[in-house]
Amino acid sequence: MAVAQVARQSGREQWEMMFVAVAGLWREAPAPTGAASAWLSPLLDEVCRVAGAQRITGIVARVPARGWLAASFQRAGFSVVTEERTFARPVPRAALAPDVPGLRLQEKRDAWPLHQLYLRATPQMVRLAEGRTARDWQLGRSSSRLSFQATRWVVEGENGLTGWLTESRSRNSELRAQIGVAPGQGDLARDLVATALSHAHDRGSAAVWSRVPVHAADVTQALIGCGFGETERGLVLKRALAVRVRGAFPAQARPGEARGGLPATQGRALAVRSNDAMPAGSAGAGPRSRAH
């Protein structure tokens, strides 16, 4: 038996697979049994079929870097987008918040600048897979299931936003801290990690953990420098889905009918291409009619 749970990512026509399990196996197992493969493959196929029927354009899954799940997902049509590392550490007995110039709570006007900061700090392949827009950075919205509990801080410099810190309560009263900084802002990353530890201390959290993509080198180094240790390494995979277009053009449409809803300039361009594509001597060849 196999089971999967999915959730729709905020602001996107995309699902994230939150949970998958196969009876009798654990995620880090080196290889699945024949029965496990027989259960998992049809499960993933069915999830993708249902997603396509609901006009979902892609499914994202996070799996351990080691073990059999990654290979099974790839056989089901998923491709690796990036690698992530998870770090954690207990909250120290004394944690003082550093003075971070420009640190403040996010405001409504910050959504677009935050998105621009994300675009500068994220490789193109990852951006395309995640499909984030400025809407994802609005207050009260997040791709996280804990968005209703999240508090986001931003750091504003002379030339705009240079970093952000999102904090949310996690399992066992732990604090989840997600950090992003502009390229080359290693000192700011360390200050934001120290700020998260101080906030966790003030709230009585037992530990802080953070999931970091491999391209965020400044954040990774800041976490290690502040005493965090790696607890897990995983892969982010995605399968893009083809979504059927709503409606269809008549099979025997006359020339020009399919262009009826296009702007005049675009319709003329298509007409020219159509005439250019006709072989010499074919019906309709000869002097082109003037576009009106």
Side-chain angles (χ1 to χ4, degrees), residues 24-46:
L25 287 174
W26 61 96
R27 297 193 311 164
E28 290 79 8
T33 64
S37 296
W39 289 331
L40 183 60
S41 296
L43 174 68
L44 295 177
D45 289 342
E46 179 64 10

Side-chain angles (χ1 to χ4, degrees), residues 16-17 27 60-74 78-86 211-214 232-238:
E16 181 172 355
M17 194 166 294
R27 297 193 311 164
V60 173
R62 286 179 165 86
V63 302
R66 296 181 179 180
W68 60 275
L69 267 178
S72 297
F73 271 80
Q74 288 177 293
F78 286 75
S79 300
V80 176
V81 175
T82 188
E83 185 176 352
E84 293 179 332
R85 301 169 68 184
T86 300
R211 181 186 291 150
V212 187
V214 291
E232 186 178 3
R233 186 169 297 201
L235 299 175
V236 181
L237 303 102
K238 180 179 179 180

